[in-house]
Amino acid sequence: MVDAARARKLADRIQQVVAEMLERRIKDPRLGFVTVTDARITADLRDATVFYTVFGSEAERADTAAALESAKGIIRAEVGRQTGVRHTPTLTFSHDPLPDSARHLDELLAEARARDEEIAKRAAGAVHAGDADPYRKPGEESPDGEEAPEEFEAGPADRAGRSAQ
């Protein structure tokens, strides 16, 4: 069993190596505009998952996935060479849905802002249905002729709500 700090450090190094390989050494025409977003490795350091995003359409994402799959052996060999671990972890490439989710949330927030602005425009000239202040004040008379009671003055109280002595 390996400590979590070493596993995280190795995952970070794998992420760097894969990103560097995709940028400089892998010349597959199917490879789109790829960004390596994260890498995670199992506790036994045997399997690593590399998360990536692709800027472009679904077809470009599919082409990039195929290109990564075909270059997996070369990338794994380079990861093994640069990390120096006894057993080079197997690599799994996984499309990271986080940027797509973030984009969708941004769209939803923009739509909510637009609706709020529309409601604010409609409410700009609106008036309340009843009185501006519907509560009776002490000494004020109600429409049925009943006077509101004077305010109750509470003395100092302790934490339990009982009067202090």
Side-chain angles (χ1 to χ4, degrees), residues 28-48:
D28 194 324
R30 299 175 294 175
L31 202 59
F33 186 70
V34 181
T35 302
V36 177
T37 57
D38 196 13
R40 298 201 182 131
I41 193 161
T42 57
D44 62 359
L45 306 181
R46 296 285 183 171
D47 300 303

Side-chain angles (χ1 to χ4, degrees), residues 104-118:
H104 179 66
L105 281 175
D106 286 342
E107 290 168 1
L108 291 175
L109 288 172
E111 183 180 330
R113 274 190 222 96
R115 288 182 182 176
D116 286 349
E117 288 172 6
E118 178 64 31

Side-chain angles (χ1 to χ4, degrees), residues 48-125:
T49 304
V50 178
F51 295 92
Y52 67 94
T53 60
V54 180
F55 184 75
S57 66
E58 283 297 322
E60 289 171 315
R61 286 185 192 151
D63 288 346
T64 298
L68 288 172
E69 208 51 44
S70 70
K72 188 186 285 188
I74 298 168
I75 295 171
R76 183 172 182 237
E78 187 65 19
V79 165
R81 192 180 69 72
Q82 288 194 27
T83 58
V85 291
R86 180 178 293 163
H87 299 287
T88 303
T90 59
L91 298 179
T92 305
F93 291 98
S94 179
H95 181 263
D96 191 356
L98 188 65
D100 296 332
S101 299
R103 190 176 317 111
H104 179 66
L105 281 175
D106 286 342
E107 290 168 1
L108 291 175
L109 288 172
E111 183 180 330
R113 274 190 222 96
R115 288 182 182 176
D116 286 349
E117 288 172 6
E118 178 64 31
I119 290 171
K121 286 178 187 174
R122 288 183 185 175

